[in-house]
Amino acid sequence: MKSDHAPSFVPKRMLFIILFMVTAVICGILLIKNNTSASAAFNQLISRDELTEEKLDKRLGELLKTSNEKFDSLLVEVKACNEKIAGKAGETLVKLEELKASTSQSLEKIGLTWKRQNELDSGQLDLSDDNGAMPMLQKFYKAFGGNLTFKANPGNPASITEWWEAAAMMGWYMNPTLRHSCKNLVNFGNWPVCQDEPYVIKPPCLVYSFGIANDFSFDDAMGNLGCTVASFDPSMHKEDHIRSPHVSFYNMGMGAINTNSFVPNKDSYVKNDQKWKIRTLKGAMAELGHQNRVLDVLKMDVETYEWAVLDNMFETGMLTNIRHLLIEYHLFRTRPDKGDYVYNYKLLNRLRKLGFREYHYETCCLRMTNANEFNYQSHVSYVNAYFRPPS
C-alpha cells in the first residue's frame, strides 16, 4: 500500500554541493589570511630597512629632479652648439683654424716683442728688413738684367735666381745696416772688435786667425790681451812655431775638407804650383785639442774660400759655438763662379737668421763695368746674438 509522506533521508547529490561550498569558504578565508600576511611582511621589510614608501617616493622625486636639471642643462648646451654649427660645419672649422693661427701669431709676437725689448735694452738692434736692398737690386738690373723681367723681391730669398740679383743682395749684406750698435769698438791691430757685454773678449779666451799675409798685428794684440791665439797661413811657407807666449803659428789653411794635398788657386799670394795642408774648422780645433772650447773670435781672410768654409760650418754646426765672427768677403772677377752666387747669397741670409749681427764693416773695390769684370770686397764683423756658453 503507498504512503503519502516524503522520504526521511538527504540525497547524495545535495551532500556534495554542501561540502563544496564549505570547502570554498574555508579556502577563501585562508587566501585572505595569506594575502594579509604577505602585505604585512612587505611593510615590515620596508620598516626594518627604515625606507618607508614615503621616503622612497621622496628620493625618487629628488633623483628625477636632479636628472631633469642635468638633462635640461645638457640640452641647452647641445642646442647652443647646434645653433652655432648647424649647416656651417666647414665654416666653423675654418674659423677654429683661423683662431688657432691667430693665437699662435699673437703668442709669437709677444715673445718677439719681449725679445726685441731685451735686445734694445742691451744695445742690440734687430733691423733685419731687407727692403732697403731694392735700390741696389734695381741698379744691378740696369747693369746686367738685359731683357730679363725684373722679379726679384729682397724679402723673399726664393725670388733671387740670377747671379746679378744674388750679387746685389750680397752687396747689401756686405755693406750692411748695422744690426748691433756697438758702444765700445776697440781696434786690435787691423781688425776692430766689439767689447760690449755680453760679448767682451777676455781671458781665458780662444782666437783663431786664418789668413795672416805676414801681418800679425791682430794676432799679437789678441795675444797681449791674454787670449790663446792660433794663427794660420800656408801661403807664408813658414813651419809651425810659437811666436809668443800666447800666439802659435800653424802652416795650415782653412777649407771645406781635411787634406794634406790641397792645390790652391794662383793669385797675388800664390805664384806657383803648391800643395797645402788644410782643415775644416772642426778638424783644426780637434787637431789642436780645442774641440770642447768656445771659440771667442774666428777671423778669416782666405781669398774666396770663405764661401765653402761657411757652407761647411753650417753643415758641421760649428757656428753656434762662435762668439765673434770676422770675415773678409771676396767676389773676384773669376772666383767664386757666378753659378754659385745664388747659393752663396743664401749662406749670408742663413748667417743672419742664425743670430749673427753686423757691428762693423769696411767695403772696397765695387766694380761692375760688365759681368766679366765684376769685383767686390768687404770685411764684416759680427757678434753672435744667440750665443750661449755651453753648460
Side-chain angles (χ1 to χ4, degrees), residues 311-324:
D311 193 24
N312 176 263
M313 287 196 293
F314 275 115
E315 182 181 343
T316 55
M318 296 299 291
L319 284 162
T320 57
N321 206 35
I322 297 171
R323 195 189 300 266
H324 286 255

Side-chain angles (χ1 to χ4, degrees), residues 167-239:
M169 291 305 299
M170 284 191 282
W172 169 252
Y173 288 147
M174 291 158 60
N175 185 35
T177 299
L178 297 180
R179 296 187 301 141
H180 176 82
S181 180
C182 184
K183 297 180 175 62
N184 188 22
L185 191 64
V186 179
N187 285 321
F188 288 88
N190 56 350
W191 283 83
V193 176
C194 186
Q195 288 289 70
D196 288 350
E197 290 288 354
Y199 310 112
V200 175
I201 306 302
K202 57 187 176 183
C205 39
L206 179 63
V207 177
Y208 273 28
S209 175
F210 287 90
I212 310 301
N214 293 298
D215 182 354
F216 284 92
S217 58
F218 170 77
D219 309 62
D220 291 340
M222 285 280 114
N224 291 336
L225 188 65
C227 298
T228 297
V229 181
S231 305
F232 306 87
D233 194 332
S235 72
M236 292 169 57
H237 306 294
K238 294 182 179 293
E239 296 298 320

Side-chain angles (χ1 to χ4, degrees), residues 3 20 31 54 76 130 178 215 235 362:
S3 174
F20 175 80
L31 285 170
E54 182 180 356
V76 169
D130 286 332
L178 297 180
D215 182 354
S235 72
E362 293 179 14

Side-chain angles (χ1 to χ4, degrees), residues 53 61 239 342:
E53 292 182 63
E239 296 298 320
V342 172

Side-chain angles (χ1 to χ4, degrees), residues 26-284:
I26 293 172
C27 288
I29 292 171
L30 289 174
L31 285 170
I32 292 170
K33 184 177 180 181
N34 287 339
N35 284 340
T36 302
S37 299
S39 177
F42 178 73
N43 288 333
Q44 186 179 6
L45 179 63
I46 293 175
S47 177
R48 185 164 58 243
D49 291 342
E50 297 182 353
L51 180 64
T52 64
E53 292 182 63
E54 182 180 356
K55 288 181 179 180
L56 180 62
D57 288 340
K58 183 178 179 181
R59 292 190 182 181
L60 286 172
E62 290 173 349
L63 180 61
L64 285 172
K65 182 180 178 183
T66 302
S67 297
N68 286 336
E69 288 175 351
K70 290 182 177 180
F71 274 109
D72 287 343
S73 176
L74 180 61
L75 286 171
V76 169
E77 292 181 19
V78 170
K79 183 179 178 182
C81 184
N82 285 338
E83 288 175 353
K84 289 180 180 179
I85 68 173
K88 299 180 180 180
E91 181 182 338
T92 303
L93 288 174
V94 170
K95 289 182 178 180
L96 287 172
E97 289 296 334
E98 290 175 350
L99 178 60
K100 178 182 176 182
S102 176
T103 303
S104 177
Q105 290 172 3
S106 297
L107 290 173
E108 186 177 354
K109 286 180 180 178
I110 291 171
L112 288 174
T113 300
W114 175 82
K115 185 173 178 290
R116 177 71 59 85
Q117 188 58 52
N118 281 349
E119 291 167 353
L120 291 175
D121 290 344
S122 65
Q124 297 178 39
L125 300 176
D126 188 14
L127 305 174
S128 56
D129 186 357
D130 286 332
N131 289 327
M134 184 58 79
M136 185 170 286
L137 274 166
Q138 292 171 338
K139 178 180 179 181
F140 276 61
Y141 171 66
K142 290 178 181 179
F144 305 110
N147 295 324
L148 294 175
T149 301
F150 183 77
K151 61 183 184 303
N153 175 2
N156 179 15
S159 73
I160 307 300
T161 58
E162 303 293 335
W163 78 266
W164 50 267
E165 294 171 335
M169 291 305 299
M170 284 191 282
W172 169 252
Y173 288 147
M174 291 158 60
N175 185 35
T177 299
L178 297 180
R179 296 187 301 141
H180 176 82
S181 180
C182 184
K183 297 180 175 62
N184 188 22
L185 191 64
V186 179
N187 285 321
F188 288 88
N190 56 350
W191 283 83
V193 176
C194 186
Q195 288 289 70
D196 288 350
E197 290 288 354
Y199 310 112
V200 175
I201 306 302
K202 57 187 176 183
C205 39
L206 179 63
V207 177
Y208 273 28
S209 175
F210 287 90
I212 310 301
N214 293 298
D215 182 354
F216 284 92
S217 58
F218 170 77
D219 309 62
D220 291 340
M222 285 280 114
N224 291 336
L225 188 65
C227 298
T228 297
V229 181
S231 305
F232 306 87
D233 194 332
S235 72
M236 292 169 57
H237 306 294
K238 294 182 179 293
E239 296 298 320
D240 295 358
H241 65 274
I242 297 174
R243 177 177 172 83
S244 69
H246 294 289
V247 181
S248 298
F249 177 84
Y250 298 93
N251 185 25
M252 181 193 305
M254 191 182 197
I257 59 173
N258 297 312
T259 179
N260 293 330
S261 56
F262 178 77
V263 178
N265 295 311
K266 292 182 180 179
D267 55 21
S268 57
Y269 301 103
V270 180
K271 304 297 184 181
N272 50 23
D273 294 338
Q274 301 177 22
K275 288 186 178 181
W276 291 351
K277 173 183 178 180
I278 65 168
R279 295 290 184 268
T280 64
L281 178 61
K282 185 174 184 179

Side-chain angles (χ1 to χ4, degrees), residues 10-30:
V10 179
K12 292 182 179 180
R13 184 176 181 180
M14 180 62 71
L15 181 61
F16 283 135
I17 292 172
I18 293 170
L19 287 173
F20 175 80
M21 291 179 65
V22 170
T23 302
V25 169
I26 293 172
C27 288
I29 292 171
L30 289 174

